Amino acid sequence: LTLHISRMLRDLQSDLENYKHNHNNEGESKHRITIIGKARATCGALNLLRLLSHETIVQACDSSRAHEQTHTPTNYQGGSNYYSEQPTAGTDTNYLLKESFTYRSRQSSGSGEQENDAAVQIISSMMLFLSTVGAKTTSTTTTSNASEIISIPEIYDVIVQILS
């Protein structure tokens, strides 16, 4: 889901960059409708990712906390207490979250799996989208359609989902 959303954001960002190149009214109208549709779909997908990510984080923290409460091996040595067990990979919160945002695919040669860090890709796509919208809306050139882009409320919805 994370990789798919990062591609959706990049596609929407590309459409926003190319929005100024359509000069005829019919083409501009169709392009605007396309942008609105892509923005709505992207906004819904971002909301779903937010909900699922929250649930994943809660479950990872709960499993880590439950493991700490049931396995508190304390060794008493010389009157001082210390924990002798390190968190295992299955209960370490950082490990669980890393695994949640790692996408594994088979290589074309069949020689093993290829891992992609989806968290880095979604963050990169979000930053690229925000910088494109910011550059478009603050541009002083007459060739950009900043006023048309600003007038699309679905773009604001995507921005709100990215920032939430």
Side-chain angles (χ1 to χ4, degrees), residues 48-116:
L48 179 63
L49 178 66
R50 183 182 60 83
L51 293 170
L52 293 176
S53 297
H54 176 74
E55 185 64 26
T56 302
I57 292 167
V58 168
Q59 286 181 357
C61 291
D62 284 348
S63 69
S64 177
R65 207 174 296 125
H67 184 268
E68 288 173 5
Q69 290 174 355
T70 58
H71 296 89
T72 54
T74 305
N75 291 337
Y76 299 101
Q77 190 173 23
S80 62
N81 299 335
Y82 69 93
Y83 294 97
S84 62
E85 184 178 311
Q86 296 293 324
T88 61
T91 60
D92 183 26
T93 306
N94 292 332
Y95 174 79
L96 292 172
L97 293 176
K98 180 183 174 289
E99 287 298 306
S100 298
F101 288 99
T102 301
Y103 176 76
R104 289 180 182 78
S105 64
R106 293 186 184 183
Q107 293 178 345
S108 59
S109 64
S111 63
E113 292 183 346
Q114 179 182 3
E115 290 187 357
N116 292 324

